[in-house]
Amino acid sequence: QVQLVESGGGLVQAGGSLTLFCETSGRTFSDAMGWFRQAPGKEREVVAAIIWSNGNTYYADSVRGRFAISKDNAKNTVTLQMNSLKPEDTAVYYCASKTGWDAILLADEYDYWGQGTQVTVSS
């Protein structure tokens, strides 16, 4: 069983920055972590993903160069640093955990999810 708790969301002006944190427990069952987001009326979409063992990272085109995902194996945490935020980044952000290294950009492949944290970017 893996439990995930997100924190760090909030309200920020366009161009600003926020850092999201995901604390995990039961990480021995996790091979990869992802950050996803869901805006009102839209489907959940991948933001970024990272593999625990080798640190390989993956990003959606919409955030590449602005967001950075990182991990702390000792603390079992995954961080999403978000810079140059835009109003279209407004969404509920979720972290998620999966076993295996494949299909890490697909939400349906993830086994465990956090409760989500709201990010609102004002124009």
Side-chain angles (χ1 to χ4, degrees), residues 37 39 42 45 66 86-91 93 121:
R37 66 187 182 187
K42 295 187 177 181
E45 63 177 3
R66 299 189 297 123
K86 305 175 181 180
E88 51 264 43
D89 294 318
T90 295
Y93 283 70
V121 184

Side-chain angles (χ1 to χ4, degrees), residues 31-32 49 51 58 98-111:
D31 295 309
I51 296 176
Y58 305 85
K98 72 180 299 295
T99 56
W101 294 6
D102 59 319
I104 66 171
L105 300 181
L106 300 179
D108 289 345
E109 294 292 322
Y110 281 75
D111 307 301

Side-chain angles (χ1 to χ4, degrees), residues 72-111:
D72 185 327
N73 289 53
K75 296 181 179 179
N76 291 333
T77 59
V78 175
T79 299
L80 184 68
Q81 177 65 45
M82 305 186 294
N83 300 320
S84 301
L85 283 161
K86 305 175 181 180
E88 51 264 43
D89 294 318
T90 295
V92 177
Y93 283 70
Y94 300 88
C95 69
S97 169
K98 72 180 299 295
T99 56
W101 294 6
D102 59 319
I104 66 171
L105 300 181
L106 300 179
D108 289 345
E109 294 292 322
Y110 281 75
D111 307 301

Side-chain angles (χ1 to χ4, degrees), residues 43-66:
E43 293 189 355
R44 190 169 297 189
E45 63 177 3
V46 66
V47 175
I50 189 167
I51 296 176
W52 282 112
S53 60
N54 61 20
N56 284 359
T57 57
Y58 305 85
Y59 295 94
D61 290 341
S62 59
V63 306
R64 188 174 289 111
R66 299 189 297 123

Side-chain angles (χ1 to χ4, degrees), residues 1-2 4 12 14 18 23 29 31 33-34 39 54 66 70 83 91 93 96 106 108 111 117 123:
Q1 187 80 15
V2 177
L4 310 172
V12 65
L18 278 176
E23 297 183 39
F29 299 104
D31 295 309
M33 297 291 295
N54 61 20
R66 299 189 297 123
S70 62
N83 300 320
Y93 283 70
L106 300 179
D108 289 345
D111 307 301
T117 185
S123 57

